Amino acid sequence: MIEGYFPGLNILCVQCQSDQIVIFFIDGFQGKLRGEWKEKIRAGKTILSNNWDVITKFSSKSNTVGSTTNPNWICKNCHDGGVIIEK
């Protein structure tokens, strides 16, 4: 099950600068970390990363790009995506 998160902030896609960003937590994401990440996102202490090396660093399995330690994001406009990391 995937949980979507919408912080109510204007977060822009790194590829196309659209504000049509969806933040989500994949199945297996630790519950305690969800709250911590939500606070960091609301406080503006995070950035979106679409760098493949960063994505694979935080991906839990080799056959998926979903991270169980960092929130994931996708742009509904250009379909770019990645992980959210701390500034």
Side-chain angles (χ1 to χ4, degrees):
M1 175 175 265
I2 295 175
E3 174 191 342
Y5 175 62
F6 303 94
L9 302 173
N10 195 16
I11 300 173
L12 301 177
C13 174
V14 297
Q15 183 72 27
C16 72
Q17 300 302 305
S18 168
D19 64 354
Q20 300 295 307
I21 299 297
V22 175
I23 298 171
F24 61 96
F25 301 95
I26 66 166
D27 191 33
F29 199 96
Q30 299 172 11
K32 178 183 174 188
L33 288 178
R34 289 180 194 209
E36 293 174 8
W37 274 106
K38 289 176 182 180
E39 288 179 26
K40 291 176 191 176
I41 293 168
R42 283 191 301 267
K45 297 179 180 180
T46 59
I47 57 173
L48 305 180
S49 176
N50 63 350
N51 181 299
W52 187 250
D53 292 332
V54 174
I55 294 169
T56 56
K57 176 183 173 184
F58 292 109
S59 294
S60 58
K61 300 175 186 172
S62 61
N63 62 347
T64 182
V65 294
S67 173
T68 57
T69 59
N70 291 57
N72 298 276
W73 68 275
I74 190 163
C75 176
K76 295 192 298 184
N77 185 47
C78 72
H79 306 287
D80 193 22
V83 295
I84 298 178
I85 57 175
E86 293 185 58
K87 283 186 179 179

